[in-house]
Amino acid sequence: MKKTIITVVGKDTVGIIAKVCTYLAENKVNILDISQTIVDGYFNMMMITDTSLSPKKLDTLSKELEEVGKEIGVAVHVQHEDIFTKMHRI
């Protein structure tokens, strides 16, 4: 299993979850866990995903998700679980 952390942040608008999740489904990325909140009109979502069945490499998924984010006005960041864990270690 290749766990990947995906974060989505930006001004709340209709369709953010649908657009991101549609892209993931089309690219065989499985969502293992998801958390989302809206605070004072700002949307924040974090997903733990499994990219092992995707035919695309992680850097391609990351670039394409960034483009999806730009289309809907949010910032999307993708990190492999190992990098995320090391960056957030105390």
Side-chain angles (χ1 to χ4, degrees):
M1 183 179 314
K2 294 183 193 174
K3 285 188 180 176
T4 303
I5 311 301
I6 300 173
T7 58
V8 181
V9 179
K11 194 87 166 144
D12 188 34
T13 188
V14 174
I16 296 172
I17 296 172
K19 190 79 167 177
V20 173
C21 290
T22 297
Y23 173 86
L24 295 176
E26 289 172 349
N27 289 281
K28 296 184 179 13
V29 176
N30 187 34
I31 299 170
L32 303 172
D33 200 356
I34 185 170
S35 172
Q36 66 99 39
T37 59
I38 299 169
V39 178
D40 197 25
Y42 289 93
F43 178 86
N44 184 21
M45 178 169 63
M46 179 177 159
M47 294 184 279
I48 300 172
T49 64
D50 177 7
T51 58
S52 60
L53 297 178
S54 179
K56 295 182 179 177
K57 292 185 178 187
L58 188 60
D59 62 336
T60 302
L61 290 170
S62 179
K63 287 176 188 170
E64 290 180 359
L65 274 168
E66 284 179 24
E67 288 302 314
V68 168
K70 286 178 185 175
E71 290 173 15
I72 56 177
V74 296
V76 180
H77 298 283
V78 179
Q79 291 180 309
H80 189 275
E81 178 187 35
D82 293 341
I83 294 171
F84 183 85
T85 301
K86 289 177 182 169
M87 285 180 58
H88 294 89
R89 183 175 56 185
I90 297 177

